[in-house]
Amino acid sequence: MAPADDLAARQGRARPYRRVRTGSPIRRRLAPIAVLLALLAAASGSSRADVAPGDVIGTANADRVQELVSPGLLWCVRHGLPMHVVAPESVPIRRAFVAATEKYAAQVRLGADGLTLENYVAGRPFPKLDPSDAQVAVKIMQNYSMQSAIDDVDIRNFDADTGPISMKSPLQIERHFLIGHLRRLQYNGRLYVDPKPQIPNTEGFNYKETLHPVIEPFDLKGVGSTSYRYLDPARQDDTWLYLPSLRRVRRFSTTQRSDALFGQDTDIDSYAGYAGQIAWMDWRLLSDGPKLAAFHTTHFP
């Protein structure tokens, strides 16, 4: 559940000058869904009367949660994905994050373009949000982006299953993915690992990331990628793929971030809710109120 000050934002049309974002119907449908869930999963509040802990929502009674979930999640429930409603629990915010917000938030602002985050150091850029603010949706997304950032990430041997849902089965596993190593180095907003709060950064990086090698499925074994994200919203990501079948490194076009990759249905920019540059989309406020969303789940605590 989410309190009233957790606001849902959604993408609209692609910005005209960001030509890499045009003509992507899959992206237009999925990105707002994932972002809505991610935004509302960060806190808990009181439940509405039409659902209660212990309720199981499915195809037959999906309309009960129509006003409490995103359009995408509602579609999934109507097509066979079960939803087990549980009592909300408090999700504490990291103390270092709270302290950084109190120390630096007063100096943060959006640039003249309405996109560039200026004077940001660490913590939540915009702790106070006003629904009547014309820039509130972009500020929500800036908050979300920094809330989910971690100093450094080093994950080994993580996996995922992909496949369709249907009226007969919640998930049919088609492909199992196993990744050997994911590493990310965050340049700003650092709270725990030196150098903090920022790494000396003459090239304007937001983060650097590498994912390699793919171990499963067999037809992708050995594939790897390296990506640079920049603080300047007008600058495209730099991404390279290593393809063992060609024994070559190939530059990865930014337009492909909106496309399904490696024979599965998820596009890169839908990871973690929304993983693209905030400036690649127009955003608008959809609603302000309590919603249902998964934060800690039974099989993925």
Side-chain angles (χ1 to χ4, degrees), residues 143-157:
N143 283 351
Y144 164 71
S145 177
M146 299 308 174
Q147 181 82 40
S148 59
I150 302 173
D151 292 16
D152 302 305
V153 177
D154 192 333
I155 306 174
R156 298 177 184 268
N157 298 321

Side-chain angles (χ1 to χ4, degrees), residues 23 90 292 294:
S90 175
L292 287 172

Side-chain angles (χ1 to χ4, degrees), residues 95-110:
R95 286 181 293 179
F97 188 84
V98 173
T101 300
E102 294 174 350
K103 183 175 181 179
Y104 299 114
Q107 70 190 40
V108 183
R109 66 176 184 269
L110 291 177

Side-chain angles (χ1 to χ4, degrees), residues 3-293:
D5 62 349
D6 272 323
L7 307 175
R10 174 182 175 179
Q11 104 187 41
R13 66 189 185 284
R15 291 188 176 275
Y17 71 92
R18 307 301 297 182
R19 64 180 186 279
V20 299
R21 290 297 129 196
T22 58
S24 178
I26 294 177
R27 161 56 138 259
R28 292 169 186 268
R29 185 170 64 252
L30 292 184
I33 294 168
V35 170
L36 176 65
L37 292 176
L39 284 169
L40 299 180
S44 60
S46 58
S47 175
R48 280 180 48 168
D50 46 1
V51 293
D55 289 351
V56 178
I57 308 298
T59 303
N61 61 349
D63 289 344
R64 290 180 59 190
V65 296
Q66 184 170 356
E67 301 301 322
L68 293 174
V69 299
S70 71
L73 184 55
L74 181 63
W75 184 94
C76 291
V77 174
R78 284 174 170 167
H79 287 77
L81 182 70
M83 175 184 291
H84 298 263
V85 180
V86 299
E89 297 180 9
S90 175
V91 181
I93 301 175
R94 296 168 289 165
R95 286 181 293 179
F97 188 84
V98 173
T101 300
E102 294 174 350
K103 183 175 181 179
Y104 299 114
Q107 70 190 40
V108 183
R109 66 176 184 269
L110 291 177
D113 58 4
L115 300 170
T116 305
L117 192 62
E118 297 182 348
N119 302 325
Y120 175 77
V121 178
R124 182 179 289 113
F126 304 104
K128 297 180 180 180
L129 296 172
D130 181 0
S132 63
D133 183 353
Q135 296 178 317
V136 66
V138 176
K139 290 180 178 179
I140 290 169
M141 291 309 302
Q142 293 286 1
N143 283 351
Y144 164 71
S145 177
M146 299 308 174
Q147 181 82 40
S148 59
I150 302 173
D151 292 16
D152 302 305
V153 177
D154 192 333
I155 306 174
R156 298 177 184 268
N157 298 321
F158 68 96
D159 60 351
D161 295 313
T162 66
I165 60 173
S166 70
M167 305 296 281
K168 297 180 180 179
S169 174
L171 174 66
Q172 301 172 47
I173 299 175
E174 285 187 340
R175 310 200 86 192
H176 176 74
F177 290 82
L178 178 62
I179 310 299
H181 204 180
L182 169 65
R183 303 181 73 183
R184 175 179 289 191
L185 177 66
Q186 186 77 25
Y187 273 72
N188 63 346
R190 300 173 64 85
L191 300 174
Y192 303 101
V193 182
D194 290 327
K196 57 180 185 284
Q198 297 179 332
I199 294 176
N201 191 7
T202 58
E203 297 179 84
F205 292 116
N206 184 355
Y207 62 78
K208 293 181 179 179
E209 182 176 88
T210 178
L211 185 152
H212 70 276
V214 176
I215 300 173
E216 297 180 28
F218 73 93
D219 56 320
L220 296 174
K221 187 173 183 179
V223 171
S225 70
T226 297
S227 182
Y228 297 168
R229 170 68 54 82
Y230 296 93
L231 295 172
D232 182 356
R235 188 170 181 180
Q236 302 293 340
D237 289 359
D238 285 326
T239 304
W240 299 268
L241 286 179
Y242 172 69
L243 304 174
S245 60
L246 301 177
R247 295 186 178 182
R248 294 289 187 275
V249 173
R250 291 287 183 263
R251 192 175 184 87
F252 189 75
S253 170
T254 309
T255 59
Q256 293 176 278
R257 294 182 64 98
S258 298
D259 300 333
L261 185 65
F262 297 152
Q264 44 85 47
D265 296 325
T266 306
D267 63 284
I268 297 177
D269 279 346
S270 289
Y271 291 171
Y274 180 68
Q277 272 274 18
I278 295 170
W280 289 346
M281 302 291 171
D282 281 342
W283 303 90
R284 63 187 177 91
L285 180 64
L286 285 182
S287 65
D288 174 8
K291 303 290 180 183
L292 287 172

